[in-house]
Amino acid sequence: MSVEGIIFSNIHDSDISELTRQRTLASVPFGCRYRLIDFPLSNMVNSNIYNISVITHYNYHSLMDHIGSGKDWDLARRSGGVKILPPYITAYANNANSLYRSRLEALKSVNYSLAQMSSDYVVMSDCNVICNIDLNDMISDHIESGADITIAVKYMRLSRTAAKNNTLVFSDETGRITDLLPYPTNFEGYADVNLNILVIGRKYLQQLVLDAIAHGYGSLTRDVLLRSLGYRNFRVYQYDGYFACISSFEDYFANNMQLIENTEMFDSLFGVESRPIYTKVRNSAPTYYSDSSRVENSLIADGCVIEGTVENSILFRGVKVGRGSVVKNSILFQDTFVGENAALGYTVSDKNVVIRDGVVLSGHSTLPLYIEKGRMV
Amino acid sequence: MLLAGGQGSRLYTLTERTAKPAVPFGGKYRIIDFPMSNCVNSGIDTVGVLTQYQPLVLNEYIGNGEPWDLDRTHGGVTVLPPYQGKRGAAWYKGTANAIYQNLTFIERYDPDYTLILSGDHIYKMDYSRMLAEHKKNEADCTIAVLEVPLSQASRFGILNTDADGRITEFEEKPKNPKSNKASMGIYIFTTSKLKEFLEADNEDPESSNDFGKNVIPAMLAAGCRMYAYTFEGYWKDVGTLTSLWEANMDLLGNPPKFDLYDRKWRIFYRHNAYPPHRIGASARLSNSMVTEGCVIDGTVENSILSNDVHVEAGAVVRDSVIMSGVTIRAGAQISYSIIDSDTVVGENASLGDAREGGSLLVLASGLSLPAGAVIHGGELVDKDNLARFIGKEDT
């Protein structure tokens, strides 16, 4: 049995526009030293899927830089490995092959690649889904149940806003899907939430995309899944580990902070036996804490030098916090430099931001302040 | 040519199953990362690593050389173990013999110059500058030297030179040293001369086949052009437990004696996929280095923690080097110690003495110390003698 993976890198870019102005959603930093794509890539590699296509749209420079040859995920391979599929636009561009807006259109645009697939099954994943899932178990479940498509879901409580950003999945007692509710505006309570990870037979996927092209379909959920519920066997796969779906900047901030507050959650994402999360190796030295440092309740990556105070914060690789500075409730991306006697609260600083000596900045828990890449304050 | 076969017997339990160059250092490195990184940072892309003692960990660590960008189509890194030849099999008898047995490897790449290094020193050095000196002097051999205090010179191999830096005399551990230029065990040879003298050395049944004892004196006696290259900067032989501990401590401070944060001269290492480290609400860190996978809820002062070290609330770690996977339970007190990987220190245990006036305590890997255990400094504790310290036969 062979399995290939497909990852959609741009689908939800507009959800956190602050962070995706200069990068794809897939390369948005998360959890101290990772990029969002590290999660689907690691999930696939940890389940022995070594043939992965990443479908890109625009702004994929940072993503290509991050993935490189794929060797940090064990994906630099003679056969298979990771392959980036940029938009396929011919010189005679017309509406039919303009940039895609949905997963189905994305698949249609890389149909030339899909046609060459030869594996038995395909696992498809979005990249804003942060989880640590055993895909092997999901694939076995898919094969045993004889499903046409298996969708990973997590049973959880949703607020009205959270429901608005997710697809709810309803199934009967045998696990067969009876209804899908994309982005409901009036739902609150417990439901199965779509993780946007699915397993499908390769031949069925190829047929489905060809049919969609012929019919002019646009949405995978609305046009394909919902239309075929009556005669196709679509099933749910229950996942109960860590899951975060990033669908707004506030979500992004809250989900990062939760990793500090809830150590069990941290462990269920990063501490799963034999399923580590891989990321690009940056060859940083360890982090140095000077005798003037005061650090509590924080997640800190390597290569930092800390001489000030850090509380309830997430520091990515290579961050410097100078003497007398206080960083609270903040997320500082790679190589952020905080001078001396500065103060930051509820701030997200993008890569290479410089905070000069004595600068005081603060957002609010409901409205974190975002400082763009390379900005000097 | 990196000599990495040494046993490192003075590191005792740390090298029981590992060759000295593979001993962990500085939280996430191994000793061999320093000469390897120096090579690639100096533009050397073909490296032979000579292994002999306990090579498994070292071989696995070097792998295809990818962490140092030495996974090359031409050259790259090659591990060179002793082998069986047509005329029999032999271990590497000495440093010179190890290179002699691998002359075919050198001939494959046919370099004009050959650099010989040891795998047990911590330093950052640009070998390309030394090579430029070697070429300028039209030397047959150039030896890197460190200027040590004259009072300590009698512990080293000392080179006496003329005003131009040409070596006139070599004295191994002289009682009355005439100079303070100590050999660092780093040699550049013009390859043709190296071959000539290694072959001659091999013919000599009296020779102990060592560069310092035999080859260098033989070349001097033959009137070869031999020069000293003075190295300025941090250099430390980590051949003993105390010097290994000291070299780790030299990474601390701001600025430190030995700087790992220099982006222009990076030290490369083989990476492990650990998550970021987590500092809890009750943690207190001071003048310490912490790396990926650690969870710190206690107090850490003047210490180096490797990957995946857990320090529980109320535990205190002072002046110590803690290797990967060690767990220090609540209330335990550790000072002036080296604790090897995966050892568990029970609750309220008290290990080691204060650094002032105390001696170093060393705990081997994989030990389990019960709650309340008390062990003073100056001991080497391993599986075989643990019972003696904790008063129990079965641990």
Side-chain angles (χ1 to χ4, degrees), chain A residues 240-261:
Chain A
D240 59 2
Y242 178 95
F243 165 61
C245 175
I246 306 293
S247 49
S248 69
F249 186 61
E250 289 72 26
D251 245 17
Y252 173 81
F253 189 79
N255 276 303
N256 267 291
M257 287 299 157
Q258 209 167 35
L259 290 176
I260 307 176
E261 287 149 21

Side-chain angles (χ1 to χ4, degrees), chain B residues 44-365:
Chain B
I44 295 168
D45 60 12
T46 305
V47 180
V49 180
L50 296 101
T51 62
Q52 178 153 287
Y53 174 79
Q54 286 286 13
L56 177 64
V57 177
L58 185 59
N59 286 350
E60 194 178 53
Y61 188 73
I62 295 168
N64 65 351
E66 184 272 320
W68 306 272
D69 272 346
L70 287 172
D71 49 337
R72 302 285 182 113
T73 309
H74 182 78
V77 67
T78 307
V79 174
L80 302 168
Y83 56 90
Q84 184 176 31
K86 199 171 177 187
R87 276 173 292 174
W91 294 108
Y92 295 151
K93 291 192 281 282
T95 50
N97 178 256
I99 304 293
Y100 172 78
Q101 290 201 40
N102 287 289
L103 279 176
T104 28
F105 170 77
I106 296 175
E107 283 160 3
R108 274 171 76 112
Y109 295 99
D110 194 23
D112 296 333
Y113 306 100
T114 304
L115 169 70
I116 315 265
L117 301 169
S118 339
D120 48 7
H121 299 152
I122 303 294
Y123 64 113
K124 292 189 279 193
M125 181 172 175
D126 189 344
Y127 305 130
S128 67
R129 288 198 205 164
M130 181 174 166
L131 180 61
E133 283 285 308
H134 180 84
K135 287 185 192 168
K136 200 186 81 193
N137 292 329
E138 294 175 353
D140 299 318
C141 171
T142 301
I143 302 175
V145 295
L146 192 74
E147 293 185 343
V148 297
L150 206 57
S151 59
Q152 290 176 27
S154 56
R155 286 169 41 211
F156 295 90
I158 294 295
L159 298 170
N160 302 322
T161 61
D162 67 15
D164 299 329
R166 184 161 174 176
I167 299 166
T168 54
E169 194 182 5
F170 176 78
E171 293 181 290
E172 186 72 37
K173 296 180 182 163
K175 281 206 178 71
N176 300 304
K178 291 179 213 129
S179 108
N180 65 344
K181 289 186 163 71
S183 168
M184 297 163 68
I186 299 169
Y187 312 101
I188 291 179
F189 289 94
T190 299
T191 307
S192 55
K193 286 283 171 188
L194 176 69
K195 268 162 69 177
E196 181 188 328
F197 279 89
L198 284 181
E199 276 158 8
D201 179 66
N202 190 56
E203 297 299 317
D204 179 4
E206 301 296 312
S207 172
S208 53
N209 307 114
D210 185 86
F211 276 105
K213 284 190 198 117
N214 309 105
V215 177
I216 302 298
M219 285 180 84
L220 266 176
C224 289
R225 291 177 66 83
M226 304 180 75
Y227 282 81
Y229 170 80
T230 305
F231 170 74
E232 284 168 9
Y234 183 90
W235 180 85
K236 187 115 184 159
D237 180 336
V238 287
T240 66
L241 290 165
T242 315
S243 65
L244 180 71
W245 180 89
E246 282 169 2
N248 271 285
M249 290 300 136
D250 289 341
L251 303 173
L252 301 176
N254 198 3
K257 281 189 191 156
F258 187 67
D259 184 9
L260 289 173
Y261 295 92
D262 183 0
R263 299 296 286 178
K264 288 191 217 92
W265 200 270
R266 286 196 287 171
I267 307 301
F268 301 96
Y269 54 87
R270 189 171 284 282
H271 191 78
N272 290 308
Y274 286 104
H277 61 270
R278 196 159 78 202
I279 310 291
S282 56
R284 186 77 189 89
L285 293 141
S286 168
N287 193 37
S288 293
M289 263 186 187
V290 179
T291 185
E292 288 156 3
C294 290
V295 179
I296 314 293
D297 287 304
T299 299
V300 180
E301 287 173 15
N302 305 322
S303 296
I304 305 264
L305 272 51
S306 297
N307 290 312
D308 199 25
V309 171
H310 291 237
V311 180
E312 295 185 358
V316 180
V317 179
R318 272 194 195 98
D319 305 315
S320 294
V321 177
I322 313 290
M323 303 211 184
S324 64
V326 169
T327 300
I328 296 162
R329 299 244 183 261
Q333 307 274 324
I334 291 164
S335 29
Y336 197 18
S337 300
I338 296 177
I339 303 187
D340 202 356
S341 51
D342 302 318
T343 282
V344 178
V345 177
E347 283 176 29
N348 302 313
S350 171
L351 305 179
D353 298 328
R355 181 175 172 181
E356 307 301 327
S359 347
L360 187 65
L361 171 68
V362 179
L363 296 180
S365 64

Side-chain angles (χ1 to χ4, degrees), chain A residues 120-136:
Chain A
D120 301 323
Y121 298 95
V122 178
V123 174
M124 300 204 278
S125 177
D126 281 6
C127 62
N128 63 334
V129 186
I130 303 162
C131 66
N132 189 332
I133 185 172
D134 182 355
L135 294 172
N136 272 338

Side-chain angles (χ1 to χ4, degrees), chain A residues 79-92:
Chain A
S79 46
V82 62
K83 176 164 66 178
I84 292 185
L85 301 180
Y88 190 74
I89 299 176
T90 67
Y92 315 103

Side-chain angles (χ1 to χ4, degrees), chain A residues 31-34 71-72 259-260 263 266-267 270 276-278 281-305 307 317 320, chain B residues 26-29 66-67 69 71 251-254 260-261 263 266-269 271-292 305 307:
Chain A
C32 218
R33 57 191 289 266
Y34 302 93
K71 68 181 173 185
D72 291 327
L259 290 176
I260 307 176
T263 56
F266 180 92
D267 290 337
F270 294 117
I277 306 295
Y278 300 95
V281 172
R282 205 177 161 238
N283 221 90
S284 313
T287 284
Y288 176 67
Y289 296 88
S290 81
D291 40 19
S292 58
S293 71
R294 185 87 189 86
V295 182
E296 57 184 63
N297 258 344
S298 296
L299 292 178
I300 298 183
D302 272 7
C304 298
V305 175
E307 298 179 82
R317 289 179 279 198
K320 306 267 188 303
Chain B
K28 55 200 300 187
Y29 307 90
E66 184 272 320
D69 272 346
D71 49 337
L251 303 173
L252 301 176
N254 198 3
L260 289 173
Y261 295 92
R263 299 296 286 178
R266 286 196 287 171
I267 307 301
F268 301 96
Y269 54 87
H271 191 78
N272 290 308
Y274 286 104
H277 61 270
R278 196 159 78 202
I279 310 291
S282 56
R284 186 77 189 89
L285 293 141
S286 168
N287 193 37
S288 293
M289 263 186 187
V290 179
T291 185
E292 288 156 3
L305 272 51
N307 290 312

